Amino acid sequence: MPTPSMEDYIEQIYLLIKDKGYARVSDIAEALSVHPSSVTKMVQKLDKDDYLIYEKYRGLILTQKGKKTGKRLVERHFLLEQFLRIIGVDESKIYEDVEGMEHHLSWESIDRIGDLVQFFEEDKLRVDQLRIIQKTNEENEN
């Protein structure tokens, strides 16, 4: 099981490869705002744990395990963004909130949030009803 830090790297590597076709140490360092030496150490650990294959000066590729994990991490991130939008969190706070939440929820909790997102998306009237409740609660607070 990858650590939260490993998850951040795997997710970012997956996204870079998906978007650009490759992921270099410098690209990963820039995306995560860390030093290239930190990326090299983590990439070596991810190689040792079979998430990717890393060859110094030649780049890296995700293994099947790495691709599967990366895809699931990206989907988790997107799902949590959807969830926060549905429940009315201000757009400017969503990214930071997701970053704070994603490593602290079990996969079972993520699956239940997915069920809830599906519940709201299947009938937009449910979202409208939620907004009415939120507006009423806000008015009662003031």
Side-chain angles (χ1 to χ4, degrees):
M1 194 70 180
T3 65
S5 181
M6 290 167 73
E7 287 183 346
D8 285 339
Y9 278 84
I10 295 167
E11 181 179 4
Q12 195 57 56
I13 292 166
Y14 179 87
L15 286 170
L16 284 166
I17 290 172
K18 186 175 176 224
D19 293 344
K20 296 171 67 171
Y22 60 90
R24 297 180 311 214
V25 167
S26 60
D27 298 324
I28 300 163
E30 183 180 337
L32 294 174
S33 300
V34 297
H35 292 286
S37 60
S38 298
V39 175
T40 300
K41 286 179 190 172
M42 180 59 79
V43 164
Q44 289 169 342
K45 177 160 183 38
L46 292 171
D47 184 353
K48 181 175 166 257
D49 290 349
D50 298 319
Y51 289 101
L52 54 82
I53 298 168
Y54 173 67
E55 294 180 24
K56 195 172 183 178
Y57 307 118
R58 299 192 90 196
L60 56 95
I61 59 168
L62 288 171
T63 61
Q64 253 339 94
K65 177 181 175 182
K67 288 176 188 173
K68 182 179 176 185
T69 302
K71 184 174 190 245
R72 184 143 194 221
L73 294 171
V74 167
E75 289 170 350
R76 175 182 69 183
H77 190 101
F78 179 70
L79 176 67
L80 290 173
E81 285 182 353
Q82 286 178 287
F83 172 67
L84 293 179
R85 279 188 189 95
I86 286 170
I87 64 170
V89 173
D90 185 87
E91 194 68 35
S92 67
K93 295 181 176 112
I94 288 177
Y95 181 81
E96 188 174 326
D97 285 353
V98 168
E99 288 298 311
M101 294 169 57
E102 64 186 346
H103 302 298
H104 301 286
L105 295 171
S106 69
W107 286 107
E108 181 181 1
S109 293
I110 296 295
D111 290 342
R112 296 302 66 84
I113 289 170
D115 296 341
L116 189 58
V117 167
Q118 181 181 350
F119 173 79
F120 279 104
E121 287 182 340
E122 285 178 353
D123 185 349
K124 297 300 179 187
L125 182 60
R126 295 170 180 157
V127 176
D128 295 340
Q129 292 169 329
L130 177 62
R131 296 292 176 262
I132 291 167
I133 291 169
Q134 290 171 331
K135 185 174 181 182
T136 301
N137 288 342
E138 287 173 10
E139 289 171 357
N140 290 337
E141 288 175 2
N142 297 328

